[in-house]
Amino acid sequence: MKKLLLSMLCALLAIPALAQKNVYKFSVKDGNEQTVKLKEYKGKVLLIVNTATKCGFTPQYEELQKLYESYKDEGLVILDFPCNQFGEQAPGSFRDIHSFCTGNYGITFPQFAKIDVNGKNEAPLYTYLKAQQGFKGFDKNNKIGQYLDTKFREQNPNYDKDPSIKWNFTKFLIDREGHVIDRFEPTADIKDVESGVRAALKM
């Protein structure tokens, strides 16, 4: 009974987020815990990413920075949200994380305070993102994708029906009007991400 009530409460709390028509009604915290309204990015194409500094996918920071440098003048902004929910692979303070990312990968795109992307404390922004674009499946043409699919399927044979974030470096693509138009799982090739970005910039 308690679990049912808790589930109902979580669902009710999620309603305001799900009712939004775009991402511009949401606010997030920057590294100094100052509020940033996403409406500040109106007219931009956004790539929203949950990241970690101690993950096998961490080198994707280099790919993301190159992508940002290639398309920022056309209107691309990458929004980086460190998250420690997956294997506790984003340890330390925001300053620790930011120093690591700038020192090792030279990132210059906006990086925000650590958040939860799943569960009772998940950021409302992520409740909305997941409702708009569900899980797209791991790329099983590579060993990492095969491993992750096997791992999650052992825990839940129907895990792929759940829209939750599965791991670090899941990416959501937002068009210039704030609509969530695509989702890329961590195993997606950066070339596919780039193709999506290019198409969104031309819309």
Side-chain angles (χ1 to χ4, degrees), residues 43-57:
K44 300 289 187 180
V45 168
L46 305 178
L47 192 67
I48 299 177
V49 191
N50 64 291
T51 61
T53 53
K54 304 294 183 182
C55 177
F57 293 113

Side-chain angles (χ1 to χ4, degrees), residues 106-178:
I107 69 162
T108 57
F109 45 81
Q111 191 168 46
F112 297 86
K114 290 168 70 171
I115 62 169
D116 282 359
V117 297
N118 292 328
K120 63 179 182 179
N121 295 319
E122 69 184 39
L125 170 63
Y126 266 81
T127 303
Y128 176 75
L129 294 174
K130 292 183 291 184
Q132 300 303 304
Q133 291 284 332
F135 179 61
K136 295 299 182 72
F138 294 119
D139 181 0
K140 288 180 281 188
N141 291 318
N142 64 62
K143 291 182 179 179
I144 297 176
Q146 293 174 10
Y147 169 78
L148 288 173
D149 179 71
T150 299
K151 174 184 175 181
F152 280 97
R153 207 167 291 282
E154 286 174 351
Q155 297 171 356
N156 177 7
N158 296 312
Y159 87 96
D160 52 336
K161 306 298 189 297
D162 178 358
S164 66
I165 306 300
K166 301 298 186 286
W167 208 252
N168 309 305
F169 289 88
T170 299
K171 307 164 188 72
F172 289 91
L173 184 61
I174 317 298
D175 70 14
R176 294 184 188 272
E177 296 181 348

